[in-house]
Every structure is written in C-alpha cells, then in structure tokens.
Amino acid sequence: VTNTKILTIDDDGVKFGTDTSSDNALNDYEIGGWTPDFRSHNNLGTANQFAYTSRSGYYTKIGRLVHITTYWIFNNFNGISGNLYLFGLPFAPTSGLQPIALMTGDVANFTDDNQMGMFIIFEGGNNRAVVGHQKNTGWSHLTVSELNTGSGGYISGIYYT
C-alpha cells in the first residue's frame, strides 16, 4: 500500500497534491444570488431604471474566478433611452481585463438582418458591463430602443476578480 498526499489544509487554504505554494491555494469558495440591473448610459448612477416582470441571477466564486448566470424579462422602460449597461455583478472584475459573456434570448427588436449575436463586456474595476451586439460592420452598443417590452434573456459567463 502506497500513501499518496492528496491535499493539505493550512492558513493559506486548500493545496492539492504536494503543492506548497500559497499562490495555488484554494482559499475562497462561495455561491449566491445577485440581481441584474440594466441601466442607460445617460444615467448610470440611478438603479432600477426599468421595470421587470422577472429577474434573477446566481453565481459561483472559486478563488478569483466568478461564474454568473442571470435571467430577466423587461416589463417597462419608463421612457428611458440610451446605450445599455448591466449593473449588479456580484464582484468587481479585475481592472485591465475585459472578458466577454454571451447573451441569448428574445431581447432585441432589430430592424434588419445585420445582427449576429449579443454579448456583455465586463468592465474591469467596476461592478458593471457594457451590453453590445455584433453587426456586419463590427460591434455596437445595444440601445434601449432596440429592446422589446416583454422580452427577456439569459447571460452566462465567467470573469476574474
């Protein structure tokens, strides 16, 4: 019978195998909920600008890696216009990085077939993300005028804190 070291638990966290580096220790694991809050670029400081029929979000944080999922249905845009941002991320992404997450669902009311997909770009150092869509000519901000009342969507993505 051979004894093999599987893990070590110390003040740094959990270390696997024979690893002794504190940099490689798993020292944070958390699951929870968060509330997605879409806002117009015209007034980023005001929360809950739009009305929702439903919205929810969940996250799993393992070390510095955060995996988010969210779902929402818009009910009313309250006469607000402008480029769309997503607030309420459970943790601020690392500054200098801008990972992208895909967005799916019946969200937009595009007037042509020039749309190839929707996404969010996490803004490092903030608890927010830019909402965009791909066009034949490049990417563009998703605007409130391109959305449907009663439409909804999903986001799933990962980023580092």
Side-chain angles (χ1 to χ4, degrees):
V1 175
T2 304
N3 289 331
T4 304
K5 187 175 189 177
I6 297 173
L7 65 91
T8 302
I9 301 173
D10 61 20
D11 291 339
D12 297 328
V14 177
K15 299 172 189 165
F16 296 95
T18 58
D19 194 344
T20 60
S21 172
S22 62
D23 291 339
N24 297 334
L26 174 60
N27 58 8
D28 189 9
Y29 177 84
E30 182 179 334
I31 58 173
W34 65 285
T35 303
D37 182 22
F38 289 92
R39 301 181 191 177
S40 165
H41 82 282
N42 295 322
N43 200 359
L44 294 176
T46 303
N48 300 310
Q49 296 174 12
F50 309 124
Y52 301 88
T53 301
S54 176
R55 62 179 166 162
S56 62
Y58 301 94
Y59 70 88
T60 302
K61 183 174 186 285
I62 302 172
R64 292 182 45 236
L65 182 70
V66 180
H67 176 256
I68 62 163
T69 58
T70 186
Y71 168 77
W72 71 94
I73 298 174
F74 292 113
N75 184 33
N76 191 321
F77 300 111
N78 301 320
I80 296 170
S81 64
N83 298 337
L84 207 59
Y85 280 75
L86 173 61
F87 277 72
L89 296 172
F91 304 94
T94 299
S95 291
L97 299 178
Q98 293 183 321
I100 296 174
L102 296 178
M103 181 168 68
T104 61
D106 181 25
V107 177
N109 182 24
F110 296 125
T111 56
D112 59 39
D113 61 359
N114 189 20
Q115 315 308 323
M116 298 178 188
M118 295 175 289
F119 55 87
I120 62 171
I121 302 173
F122 298 98
E123 289 190 346
N126 294 301
N127 287 60
R128 70 182 190 201
V130 175
V131 182
H133 57 103
Q134 184 66 35
K135 303 171 81 171
N136 289 333
T137 57
W139 83 273
S140 176
H141 286 275
L142 186 63
T143 64
V144 176
S145 65
E146 295 172 312
L147 303 175
N148 293 318
T149 299
S151 62
Y154 300 90
I155 295 173
S156 179
I158 59 173
Y159 64 93
Y160 285 95
T161 60

